[in-house]
Amino acid sequence: MRCVLIVVLLLLAGCASVPRQTQNACAIFEQRDGYFDNWRQAAYGVEREYGVPVPVLMATIYAESGFRHNARPPRTKLFGFIPWKRQSTALGYSQALDGTWARYKRETGRWTAKRTDFGDAIRFIGWYHSESNRKNGIALNDTYRLYIAYYHGHTGYERGNWSSTAKAGGKRAAIIAVKYSQQLKNCGGW
């Protein structure tokens, strides 16, 4: 019984850890190719469902959370040193806000979806990017603009008053998306 518990804990710990090589899409998928937690299968499933290319999906996660399942924004400081409230309600791989996540669950019927689950988070990103395509006319392979709309929301994107943080994140996501695209063409055995 003790051995079974140890094996289960090790499996769960492996699911929650950040992939070792987050700048290599092939390595990420190789590290997360389990029977229950297969990131490649999840990513390509979202690409088929929403039409958003896998490199764009993965680059969004890279820019948002660095593939940390429990990523959260830093806390503000009270009196300059006492940890206080967080800057936003963003959580998980996708860094989706509470309200947007609730809207996603309501509109898609995915009531059990969790922001800390890779499959759920990447599906959310695919859904959101497809909404950006529909509402803002952004091409599904335009990583930079999709990221800006993801960061500022659809209305914020339309206003065009984009923050330097969003622009920097968009550039970072666009660069890594190109890199991921090149890598995925050369992954062995797929």
Side-chain angles (χ1 to χ4, degrees), residues 130-170:
S130 72
E131 290 289 296
S132 297
N133 171 259
R134 189 175 64 76
K135 293 179 178 182
N136 302 108
I138 305 169
L140 293 175
N141 63 354
D142 187 343
T143 309
Y144 178 77
R145 284 182 173 68
L146 287 171
Y147 185 85
I148 300 284
Y150 192 83
Y151 188 91
H152 280 297
H154 300 121
T155 304
Y157 177 85
E158 282 179 8
R159 286 189 199 121
N161 189 16
W162 307 333
S163 69
S164 58
T165 303
K167 290 177 188 177

Short mmCIF file of all heavy atoms in Angstrom, two decimals, residues 130-170:
data_model
loop_
_atom_site.label_atom_id
_atom_site.label_comp_id
_atom_site.label_asym_id
_atom_site.label_seq_id
_atom_site.Cartn_x
_atom_site.Cartn_y
_atom_site.Cartn_z
N SER A 130 -9.92 32.40 -30.81
CA SER A 130 -10.93 32.32 -31.87
C SER A 130 -11.95 33.45 -31.71
O SER A 130 -12.45 33.98 -32.71
CB SER A 130 -11.60 30.95 -31.91
OG SER A 130 -12.46 30.78 -30.81
N GLU A 131 -12.24 33.84 -30.48
CA GLU A 131 -13.11 34.99 -30.23
C GLU A 131 -12.43 36.28 -30.71
O GLU A 131 -13.09 37.16 -31.25
CB GLU A 131 -13.44 35.11 -28.74
CG GLU A 131 -14.36 34.03 -28.23
CD GLU A 131 -15.78 34.21 -28.75
OE1 GLU A 131 -16.42 35.23 -28.43
OE2 GLU A 131 -16.23 33.32 -29.51
N SER A 132 -11.12 36.38 -30.53
CA SER A 132 -10.38 37.56 -31.01
C SER A 132 -10.44 37.62 -32.53
O SER A 132 -10.53 38.71 -33.11
CB SER A 132 -8.92 37.51 -30.55
OG SER A 132 -8.85 37.57 -29.15
N ASN A 133 -10.40 36.48 -33.17
CA ASN A 133 -10.53 36.41 -34.62
C ASN A 133 -11.91 36.88 -35.05
O ASN A 133 -12.06 37.70 -35.96
CB ASN A 133 -10.27 34.98 -35.10
CG ASN A 133 -10.58 34.77 -36.55
OD1 ASN A 133 -11.62 34.23 -36.89
ND2 ASN A 133 -9.68 35.21 -37.41
N ARG A 134 -12.93 36.39 -34.36
CA ARG A 134 -14.31 36.72 -34.70
C ARG A 134 -14.65 38.18 -34.40
O ARG A 134 -15.22 38.89 -35.22
CB ARG A 134 -15.26 35.79 -33.95
CG ARG A 134 -16.71 35.88 -34.37
CD ARG A 134 -17.56 34.84 -33.65
NE ARG A 134 -17.63 35.01 -32.22
CZ ARG A 134 -18.36 35.93 -31.59
NH1 ARG A 134 -19.08 36.77 -32.27
NH2 ARG A 134 -18.37 35.99 -30.27
N LYS A 135 -14.26 38.65 -33.21
CA LYS A 135 -14.63 40.00 -32.77
C LYS A 135 -13.71 41.10 -33.31
O LYS A 135 -14.16 42.21 -33.56
CB LYS A 135 -14.65 40.08 -31.24
CG LYS A 135 -15.74 39.25 -30.61
CD LYS A 135 -15.69 39.34 -29.11
CE LYS A 135 -16.82 38.53 -28.49
NZ LYS A 135 -16.83 38.64 -27.04
N ASN A 136 -12.43 40.80 -33.40
CA ASN A 136 -11.45 41.83 -33.77
C ASN A 136 -10.82 41.61 -35.15
O ASN A 136 -10.01 42.42 -35.59
CB ASN A 136 -10.33 41.91 -32.72
CG ASN A 136 -10.85 42.20 -31.33
OD1 ASN A 136 -10.85 41.32 -30.49
ND2 ASN A 136 -11.30 43.42 -31.09
N GLY A 137 -11.15 40.51 -35.79
CA GLY A 137 -10.61 40.24 -37.12
C GLY A 137 -9.13 39.90 -37.14
O GLY A 137 -8.48 40.03 -38.17
N ILE A 138 -8.60 39.43 -36.03
CA ILE A 138 -7.18 39.09 -35.95
C ILE A 138 -6.98 37.70 -36.54
O ILE A 138 -7.68 36.75 -36.18
CB ILE A 138 -6.67 39.12 -34.49
CG1 ILE A 138 -6.96 40.48 -33.85
CG2 ILE A 138 -5.18 38.79 -34.44
CD1 ILE A 138 -6.73 40.51 -32.35
N ALA A 139 -6.01 37.57 -37.43
CA ALA A 139 -5.70 36.27 -38.03
C ALA A 139 -5.28 35.28 -36.94
O ALA A 139 -4.58 35.66 -35.99
CB ALA A 139 -4.59 36.41 -39.07
N LEU A 140 -5.69 34.03 -37.07
CA LEU A 140 -5.39 33.02 -36.06
C LEU A 140 -3.91 32.66 -35.96
O LEU A 140 -3.51 31.99 -35.01
CB LEU A 140 -6.23 31.76 -36.31
CG LEU A 140 -7.74 31.95 -36.11
CD1 LEU A 140 -8.48 30.68 -36.50
CD2 LEU A 140 -8.05 32.32 -34.67
N ASN A 141 -3.11 33.11 -36.90
CA ASN A 141 -1.67 32.86 -36.82
C ASN A 141 -0.88 34.14 -36.49
O ASN A 141 0.35 34.14 -36.54
CB ASN A 141 -1.15 32.23 -38.12
CG ASN A 141 -1.34 33.14 -39.31
OD1 ASN A 141 -1.96 34.21 -39.23
ND2 ASN A 141 -0.82 32.72 -40.46
N ASP A 142 -1.57 35.22 -36.14
CA ASP A 142 -0.92 36.48 -35.78
C ASP A 142 -0.70 36.51 -34.27
O ASP A 142 -1.47 37.10 -33.52
CB ASP A 142 -1.79 37.66 -36.23
CG ASP A 142 -1.10 39.01 -36.04
OD1 ASP A 142 -0.11 39.09 -35.29
OD2 ASP A 142 -1.58 39.99 -36.64
N THR A 143 0.36 35.85 -33.85
CA THR A 143 0.63 35.69 -32.42
C THR A 143 0.71 37.02 -31.70
O THR A 143 0.14 37.16 -30.61
CB THR A 143 1.96 34.91 -32.21
OG1 THR A 143 1.93 33.72 -32.99
CG2 THR A 143 2.16 34.56 -30.76
N TYR A 144 1.37 38.00 -32.27
CA TYR A 144 1.55 39.30 -31.62
C TYR A 144 0.20 39.94 -31.30
O TYR A 144 -0.08 40.31 -30.15
CB TYR A 144 2.39 40.22 -32.51
CG TYR A 144 2.57 41.61 -31.95
CD1 TYR A 144 3.48 41.83 -30.90
CD2 TYR A 144 1.85 42.68 -32.44
CE1 TYR A 144 3.65 43.10 -30.37
CE2 TYR A 144 2.01 43.96 -31.92
CZ TYR A 144 2.91 44.17 -30.89
OH TYR A 144 3.08 45.42 -30.35
N ARG A 145 -0.66 40.08 -32.30
CA ARG A 145 -1.95 40.75 -32.08
C ARG A 145 -2.91 39.90 -31.23
O ARG A 145 -3.67 40.43 -30.43
CB ARG A 145 -2.57 41.12 -33.42
CG ARG A 145 -1.90 42.33 -34.02
CD ARG A 145 -2.52 42.77 -35.33
NE ARG A 145 -1.96 44.02 -35.80
CZ ARG A 145 -0.71 44.20 -36.23
NH1 ARG A 145 0.12 43.18 -36.23
NH2 ARG A 145 -0.29 45.37 -36.64
N LEU A 146 -2.87 38.58 -31.40
CA LEU A 146 -3.69 37.72 -30.55
C LEU A 146 -3.29 37.89 -29.09
O LEU A 146 -4.16 37.94 -28.21
CB LEU A 146 -3.56 36.26 -30.97
CG LEU A 146 -4.26 35.86 -32.26
CD1 LEU A 146 -3.86 34.44 -32.66
CD2 LEU A 146 -5.77 35.98 -32.14
N TYR A 147 -1.99 38.00 -28.84
CA TYR A 147 -1.53 38.18 -27.46
C TYR A 147 -1.99 39.53 -26.90
O TYR A 147 -2.43 39.62 -25.75
CB TYR A 147 -0.01 38.06 -27.35
CG TYR A 147 0.43 38.14 -25.92
CD1 TYR A 147 0.43 37.01 -25.11
CD2 TYR A 147 0.78 39.35 -25.34
CE1 TYR A 147 0.79 37.08 -23.77
CE2 TYR A 147 1.13 39.44 -24.00
CZ TYR A 147 1.13 38.30 -23.22
OH TYR A 147 1.46 38.38 -21.90
N ILE A 148 -1.91 40.58 -27.71
CA ILE A 148 -2.36 41.91 -27.26
C ILE A 148 -3.84 41.85 -26.87
O ILE A 148 -4.24 42.36 -25.83
CB ILE A 148 -2.15 42.98 -28.37
CG1 ILE A 148 -0.69 43.11 -28.75
CG2 ILE A 148 -2.75 44.32 -27.95
CD1 ILE A 148 0.20 43.83 -27.80
N ALA A 149 -4.66 41.22 -27.72
CA ALA A 149 -6.09 41.09 -27.42
C ALA A 149 -6.31 40.22 -26.19
O ALA A 149 -7.21 40.48 -25.39
CB ALA A 149 -6.84 40.51 -28.62
N TYR A 150 -5.47 39.21 -26.02
CA TYR A 150 -5.56 38.33 -24.85
C TYR A 150 -5.24 39.12 -23.58
O TYR A 150 -5.90 38.99 -22.57
CB TYR A 150 -4.57 37.17 -25.03
CG TYR A 150 -4.74 36.05 -24.04
CD1 TYR A 150 -5.70 35.06 -24.25
CD2 TYR A 150 -3.94 35.95 -22.92
CE1 TYR A 150 -5.85 34.01 -23.37
CE2 TYR A 150 -4.08 34.90 -22.03
CZ TYR A 150 -5.04 33.94 -22.26
OH TYR A 150 -5.19 32.91 -21.37
N TYR A 151 -4.24 39.97 -23.67
CA TYR A 151 -3.78 40.73 -22.52
C TYR A 151 -4.76 41.85 -22.15
O TYR A 151 -5.08 42.03 -20.98
CB TYR A 151 -2.39 41.32 -22.82
CG TYR A 151 -1.74 41.97 -21.63
CD1 TYR A 151 -0.91 41.24 -20.80
CD2 TYR A 151 -1.94 43.32 -21.35
CE1 TYR A 151 -0.30 41.83 -19.71
CE2 TYR A 151 -1.33 43.92 -20.27
CZ TYR A 151 -0.51 43.17 -19.45
OH TYR A 151 0.07 43.76 -18.36
N HIS A 152 -5.22 42.60 -23.14
CA HIS A 152 -6.08 43.77 -22.89
C HIS A 152 -7.56 43.49 -23.02
O HIS A 152 -8.38 44.36 -22.70
CB HIS A 152 -5.71 44.92 -23.84
CG HIS A 152 -4.50 45.68 -23.42
ND1 HIS A 152 -4.44 46.39 -22.24
CD2 HIS A 152 -3.29 45.85 -24.01
CE1 HIS A 152 -3.26 46.96 -22.13
NE2 HIS A 152 -2.54 46.64 -23.19
N GLY A 153 -7.94 42.32 -23.52
CA GLY A 153 -9.34 42.04 -23.78
C GLY A 153 -9.74 42.58 -25.15
O GLY A 153 -9.02 43.38 -25.74
N HIS A 154 -10.88 42.15 -25.63
CA HIS A 154 -11.31 42.52 -26.98
C HIS A 154 -11.59 44.02 -27.10
O HIS A 154 -11.21 44.64 -28.09
CB HIS A 154 -12.52 41.68 -27.40
CG HIS A 154 -12.22 40.23 -27.41
ND1 HIS A 154 -12.89 39.32 -26.65
CD2 HIS A 154 -11.26 39.52 -28.07
CE1 HIS A 154 -12.38 38.11 -26.84
NE2 HIS A 154 -11.39 38.21 -27.70
N THR A 155 -12.21 44.60 -26.10
CA THR A 155 -12.49 46.03 -26.14
C THR A 155 -11.20 46.83 -26.02
O THR A 155 -11.01 47.82 -26.74
CB THR A 155 -13.48 46.41 -25.02
OG1 THR A 155 -14.65 45.60 -25.14
CG2 THR A 155 -13.87 47.87 -25.10
N GLY A 156 -10.33 46.42 -25.13
CA GLY A 156 -9.04 47.10 -24.98
C GLY A 156 -8.21 47.04 -26.25
O GLY A 156 -7.53 48.01 -26.61
N TYR A 157 -8.27 45.91 -26.93
CA TYR A 157 -7.56 45.78 -28.20
C TYR A 157 -8.10 46.78 -29.22
O TYR A 157 -7.35 47.45 -29.91
CB TYR A 157 -7.69 44.35 -28.75
CG TYR A 157 -7.04 44.19 -30.09
CD1 TYR A 157 -5.68 43.92 -30.19
CD2 TYR A 157 -7.76 44.35 -31.27
CE1 TYR A 157 -5.06 43.79 -31.43
CE2 TYR A 157 -7.16 44.23 -32.51
CZ TYR A 157 -5.81 43.95 -32.59
OH TYR A 157 -5.20 43.85 -33.81
N GLU A 158 -9.42 46.88 -29.30
CA GLU A 158 -10.06 47.80 -30.25
C GLU A 158 -9.65 49.24 -30.01
O GLU A 158 -9.50 50.01 -30.95
CB GLU A 158 -11.58 47.68 -30.17
CG GLU A 158 -12.14 46.48 -30.88
CD GLU A 158 -13.65 46.40 -30.76
OE1 GLU A 158 -14.28 47.35 -30.26
OE2 GLU A 158 -14.19 45.36 -31.16
N ARG A 159 -9.50 49.62 -28.74
CA ARG A 159 -9.12 51.00 -28.42
C ARG A 159 -7.74 51.34 -28.97
O ARG A 159 -7.45 52.49 -29.26
CB ARG A 159 -9.13 51.22 -26.92
CG ARG A 159 -10.52 51.31 -26.34
CD ARG A 159 -10.48 51.74 -24.88
NE ARG A 159 -11.72 51.38 -24.25
CZ ARG A 159 -11.85 50.59 -23.21
NH1 ARG A 159 -10.78 50.08 -22.64
NH2 ARG A 159 -13.03 50.32 -22.71
N GLY A 160 -6.87 50.34 -29.04
CA GLY A 160 -5.54 50.54 -29.62
C GLY A 160 -4.53 51.20 -28.69
O GLY A 160 -3.40 51.45 -29.08
N ASN A 161 -4.90 51.46 -27.46
CA ASN A 161 -3.99 52.08 -26.49
C ASN A 161 -3.31 50.96 -25.70
O ASN A 161 -3.64 50.72 -24.54
CB ASN A 161 -4.78 53.02 -25.57
CG ASN A 161 -3.87 53.83 -24.70
OD1 ASN A 161 -2.68 53.94 -24.96
ND2 ASN A 161 -4.44 54.41 -23.65
N TRP A 162 -2.38 50.27 -26.35
CA TRP A 162 -1.78 49.08 -25.77
C TRP A 162 -0.60 49.43 -24.88
O TRP A 162 0.24 50.26 -25.23
CB TRP A 162 -1.33 48.13 -26.86
CG TRP A 162 -2.41 47.80 -27.85
CD1 TRP A 162 -3.76 47.80 -27.63
CD2 TRP A 162 -2.23 47.41 -29.21
NE1 TRP A 162 -4.43 47.44 -28.77
CE2 TRP A 162 -3.52 47.20 -29.76
CE3 TRP A 162 -1.12 47.23 -30.01
CZ2 TRP A 162 -3.71 46.80 -31.07
CZ3 TRP A 162 -1.31 46.83 -31.32
CH2 TRP A 162 -2.59 46.63 -31.83
N SER A 163 -0.52 48.76 -23.75
CA SER A 163 0.57 49.02 -22.80
C SER A 163 1.89 48.45 -23.31
O SER A 163 1.92 47.53 -24.14
CB SER A 163 0.25 48.39 -21.44
OG SER A 163 0.29 46.97 -21.54
N SER A 164 2.97 48.99 -22.80
CA SER A 164 4.30 48.48 -23.17
C SER A 164 4.47 47.05 -22.68
O SER A 164 5.16 46.26 -23.33
CB SER A 164 5.39 49.39 -22.63
OG SER A 164 5.30 49.49 -21.22
N THR A 165 3.83 46.70 -21.57
CA THR A 165 3.91 45.33 -21.06
C THR A 165 3.25 44.37 -22.05
O THR A 165 3.80 43.30 -22.34
CB THR A 165 3.20 45.23 -19.69
OG1 THR A 165 3.79 46.16 -18.80
CG2 THR A 165 3.30 43.83 -19.12
N ALA A 166 2.10 44.74 -22.58
CA ALA A 166 1.40 43.89 -23.55
C ALA A 166 2.21 43.76 -24.84
O ALA A 166 2.32 42.67 -25.41
CB ALA A 166 0.01 44.44 -23.84
N LYS A 167 2.78 44.87 -25.29
CA LYS A 167 3.58 44.83 -26.52
C LYS A 167 4.81 43.95 -26.34
O LYS A 167 5.15 43.16 -27.22
CB LYS A 167 4.01 46.24 -26.92
CG LYS A 167 2.87 47.10 -27.41
CD LYS A 167 3.39 48.50 -27.71
CE LYS A 167 2.29 49.47 -28.03
NZ LYS A 167 2.80 50.83 -28.24
N ALA A 168 5.46 44.06 -25.20
CA ALA A 168 6.64 43.23 -24.93
C ALA A 168 6.25 41.75 -24.85
O ALA A 168 6.94 40.89 -25.39
CB ALA A 168 7.33 43.68 -23.64
N GLY A 169 5.14 41.47 -24.19
CA GLY A 169 4.65 40.09 -24.11
C GLY A 169 4.28 39.56 -25.48
O GLY A 169 4.55 38.40 -25.80
N GLY A 170 3.67 40.40 -26.31
CA GLY A 170 3.32 40.01 -27.67
C GLY A 170 4.54 39.70 -28.51
O GLY A 170 4.56 38.72 -29.26
#
